[in-house]
Amino acid sequence: MPQQKDIVKIAIQMPGAYPQLIQLDQVSRCALPVIKRMLTSVWNLPGPDNYALQYADGIQTYITESVVPCNGHGRCAEDLYKGIQSSDSGVRCDSLKLLANVSTDITFAQEFISRDGHSLLVKIVEDAHEAPLIMTHTLTAFMELMDHGIVSWENLSSVFIKKIAGFVNAKVQDTSIQQVSLAILESMVLSSNSLFNEVKQEITLERLIFHLQVTNQQLQTKAMALLMAMLLAAGVADRQNIIHSSSSVGDEMAHYLYVLQMVRLNHLEARMRTPLDSYNQEQRDMLHGLRQAAFETESESGLSNERRRSLCAKEFKKLGFSNNSNPGQDLSRCPPGLLALDTMAYFASRYPDAYSRFVLENSSREDKHECPFARSSIQLTLILCEILRIGEPPSETGSDYHPIFFAQDRLLEELFCICIQLLNKTWKEMRATQEDFDKVMQVVREQITRTLSSKPTSLELFKNKVNALNYSEILKLRQTERLHQEETLAPPVLELKERLKPELLELIRQQRLNRLSHGTLFRKISSRRRQDKLWYCRLSPNHKVLHYGDVEEETETPSIEALQEKIPVADIKNVVTGKDCPHMKENKGKQNKEVLDLAFSISYDVEEYSLNFIASSRTDFCLWTDGLNVLLGKEMSSESMRSELEILLALPEDQQPTETR
């Protein structure tokens, strides 16, 4: 008989029925079903399972077996400890069901575990003789008890682990058992490396993929959670083995690996869509950390505010920020937002030597060929976000996953570190200036996309492949693909392109002449090879005279009247480039290849005189040599002209420039 203090009287009411005053045994949680059966009988209601009890006062929550008040945890634990050992399967089932509910209470869990009750549950699992419903209650109760952290997961036997894995691997098994078993295995994997190794031996990727294909959403979720736990717990080699150990990496597996990749990458979306907050001290410290890591600055503590601001602005400009007085504005665009700050900070801290080398190499240049680190980093981060599709929900049919993702915990950051150095290399290969920024970024995007499409399985492979795919190789690939495309085009399409070609060439000619009419600033190279003087050259509006003359630093576009010297176009005899230029012959053997590739000259007045140029970039070189050849009635031959013509010919007819239609 229960002690009198464990018995309480409660009133239960229902609209349209007489209230009932009943006695409740607070120790026995099985009292709730009894109360419901009694009430439905008294009130002549069908089926006790169709009704629920609800508190009438205070927070009107529903009452279940797991929330009925209980004062005797020790007594309850003792009763259930005995109940799960009963020879009556019905009593065992009810006791285990109740145990699963009350085990969420840590005080009860301590009482039950102190009686070694959890070992009884382990034995039930290892024996595996119980019916599916009893086994489900057993596993659920075990999971609830273990979640309190009172007992270490590492105390479990190999027999128990094999039994749990067997439930997951079984082709015919109760789904409730499999759901709890997957959750138990996930906790094991996350708890210790030794348990991860045991689980890895028992669970195959094929079986997890099978569970990801079922219609039961809860089972899918548990299987995905276990797969993610195994990948998180694995080292690089183990992670690759998990992915590549499958004997049938088919469409279904590819889809779920793609989903897993998208889910994890999308954790970066919040940073990608958050602009820098100039009032956030942590973000400001990260920003100034980039500056301090790049330059050996004196202590700023003794500087005046004005001097400190001036120093910071100067160094942020060298870092390549567009808004050097307020660099946070560069990071206000979303995407990439704070993610760009994260990638720059990661590069500076993870690879400090490479970071310093990049910044110092470009900040010391004075020939407009410097590659701006910050501006490039922000754009590169955006490109990587677009390539990896960060922020996009997983497609129901997607299967384009990157094996490299599963070989690296911080894929975006590590890819950035490789690609920002690639960008600097490509910038130099293209002899780019600030005007060529977008062109360089297009090439870098192509280098990354082409390399990732080859499915490299490690960062080292990616690094080797992407660096081998230099600018020269990109141009060769483009040319090969264009020729292949032309070979496969239908005759009418080829005829249309041939018909459009003269009109497009004329459009490019006019563009070149317009650029010459606007004019360009050039530097003179003295005998000491110092670029210490500036001069300007432009074509007259009627395209008959070249005007040129010396100008001062920072001069805006001078008028034709301000340029004292001139050469009639009719007197120009020839255009030569590179080592054939008179000013290159004078310093034969002393000029580097970069200068040679930017040099051109025009000869006039029976070739006795020449006007010598050094272009500031390959783009200006192509524009001027093409334009001068047009003036002389010759064909344009620069790589820039060929590239532009290819782009225009590749456009659909409805997107062709209006002048060509």
Side-chain angles (χ1 to χ4, degrees):
M1 289 288 293
Q3 297 180 14
Q4 196 64 31
K5 65 182 179 67
D6 293 327
I7 304 296
V8 295
K9 291 183 178 181
I10 61 173
I12 302 176
Q13 61 185 10
M14 187 180 78
Y18 289 106
Q20 299 291 317
L21 185 65
I22 65 164
Q23 291 184 335
L24 174 66
D25 179 357
Q26 296 183 83
V27 173
S28 175
R29 300 208 172 199
C30 294
L32 185 59
V34 175
I35 293 170
K36 289 168 65 177
R37 282 197 297 272
M38 182 269 291
L39 290 171
T40 53
S41 176
V42 170
W43 286 331
N44 196 25
L45 299 172
D49 291 337
N50 296 326
Y51 297 89
L53 296 180
Q54 183 182 34
Y55 287 107
D57 299 325
I59 301 175
Q60 298 178 344
T61 57
Y62 286 97
I63 302 171
T64 66
E65 286 136 319
S66 62
V67 295
V68 174
C70 179
N71 295 328
H73 293 96
R75 180 171 176 179
C76 191
E78 185 65 31
D79 289 346
L80 292 177
Y81 182 79
K82 294 176 180 177
I84 63 177
Q85 299 180 77
S86 171
S87 58
D88 187 323
S89 62
V91 173
R92 290 200 307 277
C93 184
D94 290 341
S95 298
L96 287 163
K97 180 181 179 182
L98 185 55
L99 177 62
N101 285 326
V102 299
S103 292
T104 56
D105 186 317
I106 189 170
T107 305
F108 169 83
Q110 290 170 335
E111 290 285 350
F112 189 76
I113 290 172
S114 70
R115 291 165 171 76
D116 207 26
H118 62 291
S119 296
L120 283 178
L121 301 181
V122 170
K123 189 174 186 306
I124 293 172
V125 174
E126 290 179 349
D127 292 343
H129 297 319
E130 295 288 6
L133 183 58
I134 293 180
M135 187 59 70
T136 300
H137 294 327
T138 302
L139 294 172
T140 304
F142 175 81
M143 187 67 191
E144 295 292 352
L145 289 170
M146 295 299 291
D147 273 350
H148 294 296
I150 301 169
V151 180
S152 171
W153 286 95
E154 293 201 58
N155 293 335
L156 298 172
S157 68
S158 296
V159 175
F160 179 83
I161 296 172
K162 289 179 183 292
K163 287 291 183 181
I164 298 295
F167 294 147
V168 172
N169 290 330
K171 293 185 178 179
V172 180
Q173 185 61 267
D174 183 272
T175 56
S176 298
I177 291 177
Q178 291 185 322
Q179 285 178 37
V180 187
S181 297
L182 286 165
I184 291 173
L185 291 174
E186 180 194 359
S187 295
M188 288 181 186
V189 166
L190 295 176
S191 66
S192 78
N193 191 57
S194 60
L195 284 175
F196 160 69
N197 287 325
E198 286 198 62
V199 173
K200 182 182 65 176
Q201 299 300 320
E202 301 297 331
I203 297 296
T204 64
L205 186 58
E206 285 88 352
R207 202 62 201 153
L208 287 179
I209 297 299
F210 173 82
H211 290 309
L212 290 170
Q213 299 176 48
V214 300
T215 56
N216 186 315
Q217 189 172 2
Q218 290 180 316
L219 190 59
Q220 283 182 327
T221 302
K222 296 295 183 184
M224 178 66 80
L226 176 56
L227 178 57
M228 290 184 69
M230 293 179 71
L231 292 172
L232 287 171
V236 173
D238 281 334
R239 193 174 301 156
Q240 289 179 303
N241 288 336
I242 291 171
I243 298 302
H244 300 298
S245 62
S246 173
S247 59
S248 56
V249 183
D251 293 341
E252 291 292 344
M253 177 178 142
H255 171 68
Y256 287 108
L257 292 176
Y258 152 80
V259 171
L260 177 59
Q261 170 187 287
M262 294 296 290
V263 169
R264 287 192 61 197
L265 284 174
N266 281 347
H267 289 163
L268 301 170
E269 182 180 5
R271 298 286 285 182
M272 183 184 76
R273 301 199 185 281
T274 303
L276 183 135
D277 179 1
S278 58
Y279 295 101
N280 185 298
Q281 189 61 47
E282 181 183 358
Q283 295 172 20
R284 290 172 60 187
D285 289 345
M286 288 178 68
L287 196 56
H288 282 278
L290 292 173
R291 178 178 63 85
Q292 292 161 354
F295 307 107
E296 293 183 5
T297 56
E298 302 175 2
S299 174
E300 299 175 11
S301 57
L303 300 178
S304 65
N305 289 337
E306 184 177 349
R307 173 59 181 154
R308 186 183 297 109
R309 282 196 297 270
S310 175
L311 177 64
C312 290
K314 181 180 178 181
E315 291 181 344
F316 278 125
K317 183 177 182 180
K318 287 184 177 181
L319 266 177
F321 283 93
S322 300
N323 299 282
N324 56 294
S325 60
N326 185 11
Q329 290 184 5
D330 288 30
L331 296 162
S332 62
R333 183 179 55 150
C334 295
L338 287 176
L339 206 53
L341 179 60
D342 293 339
T343 54
M344 286 189 282
Y346 184 88
F347 179 48
S349 61
R350 184 84 168 83
Y351 305 99
D353 292 343
Y355 171 69
S356 297
R357 189 162 54 249
F358 185 116
V359 175
L360 296 178
E361 174 186 319
N362 287 286
S363 63
S364 60
R365 300 188 69 169
E366 298 180 357
D367 55 2
K368 295 185 179 182
H369 286 275
E370 68 277 5
C371 177
F373 172 75
R375 184 186 177 193
S376 300
S377 296
I378 293 168
Q379 190 63 23
L380 176 61
T381 304
L382 176 61
I383 287 173
L384 289 172
C385 287
E386 291 173 349
I387 291 173
L388 297 175
R389 299 182 178 180
I390 295 174
E392 294 183 19
S395 165
E396 292 183 1
T397 57
S399 60
D400 185 19
Y401 76 95
H402 299 292
I404 192 175
F405 170 82
F406 300 98
Q408 177 60 48
D409 289 329
R410 304 191 65 171
L411 177 65
L412 178 75
E413 292 90 339
E414 288 292 343
L415 282 181
F416 173 86
C417 292
I418 293 172
C419 294
I420 191 66
Q421 296 175 81
L422 167 75
L423 191 154
N424 191 38
K425 172 174 167 284
T426 301
W427 185 280
K428 289 185 285 189
E429 290 170 354
M430 295 177 67
R431 300 182 181 86
T433 65
Q434 296 290 331
E435 293 178 353
D436 304 311
F437 182 83
D438 291 337
K439 291 181 180 178
V440 175
M441 298 312 298
Q442 288 171 5
V443 172
V444 171
R445 177 192 288 270
E446 189 172 344
Q447 289 170 317
I448 298 170
T449 304
R450 287 180 182 272
T451 304
L452 285 177
S453 67
S454 68
K455 303 294 183 184
T457 55
S458 69
L459 278 173
E460 193 62 31
L461 278 174
F462 173 82
K463 182 179 180 180
N464 292 338
K465 287 187 176 183
V466 81
N467 280 291
L469 196 59
N470 55 34
Y471 180 53
S472 176
E473 287 298 315
I474 289 290
L475 293 178
K476 289 177 183 177
L477 287 169
R478 287 177 177 177
Q479 176 72 3
T480 301
E481 289 168 359
R482 184 184 67 82
L483 293 173
H484 176 71
Q485 183 184 31
E486 289 183 355
E487 289 174 1
T488 57
L489 289 175
V493 177
L494 292 174
E495 291 175 9
L496 176 62
K497 287 182 178 291
E498 287 301 315
R499 181 174 63 81
L500 289 173
K501 192 172 180 179
E503 299 177 17
L504 295 175
L505 281 171
E506 180 58 30
L507 185 66
I508 295 173
R509 291 189 192 97
Q510 292 301 319
Q511 188 267 343
R512 297 297 195 262
L513 294 176
N514 289 340
R515 181 59 183 268
L516 266 60
S517 296
H518 181 270
T520 303
L521 187 68
F522 295 94
R523 287 186 181 270
K524 291 183 179 180
I525 296 184
S526 67
S527 58
R528 295 183 181 180
R529 296 173 62 194
R530 290 184 56 193
Q531 299 183 0
D532 50 2
K533 291 185 179 180
L534 298 173
W535 63 289
Y536 203 90
C537 185
R538 62 184 297 182
L539 180 65
S540 63
N542 62 7
H543 300 169
K544 291 186 177 181
V545 180
L546 276 178
H547 297 264
Y548 64 97
D550 293 344
V551 294
E552 298 296 326
E553 188 82 46
E554 306 296 335
T555 301
E556 295 183 359
T557 304
S559 64
I560 286 178
E561 292 75 17
L563 301 174
Q564 301 299 315
E565 307 292 334
K566 61 182 179 180
I567 301 173
V569 172
D571 290 349
I572 298 176
K573 305 301 180 184
N574 196 17
V575 178
V576 292
T577 62
K579 62 183 180 181
D580 295 327
C581 298
H583 56 317
M584 295 295 102
K585 290 179 179 179
E586 292 171 5
N587 296 283
K588 189 174 182 181
K590 298 181 181 180
Q591 300 292 0
N592 60 40
K593 187 177 186 301
E594 183 175 339
V595 174
L596 282 172
D597 287 345
L598 298 175
F600 63 97
S601 302
I602 56 175
S603 58
Y604 59 97
D605 195 13
V606 199
E607 299 190 7
E608 292 183 4
Y609 300 97
S610 65
L611 186 62
N612 302 316
F613 299 75
I614 299 290
S616 62
S617 68
R618 190 67 184 175
T619 299
D620 280 348
F621 174 87
C622 293
L623 290 171
W624 270 85
T625 53
D626 281 345
L628 291 170
N629 280 323
V630 170
L631 290 174
L632 296 178
K634 298 181 179 180
E635 294 293 327
M636 298 178 292
S637 58
S638 73
E639 68 268 18
S640 178
M641 180 278 299
R642 292 193 295 271
S643 176
E644 290 174 34
L645 182 60
E646 288 174 12
I647 292 171
L648 291 172
L649 286 172
L651 288 174
E653 188 174 6
D654 60 351
Q655 295 181 27
Q656 292 285 345
T658 53
E659 293 87 346
T660 68
R661 294 183 192 165

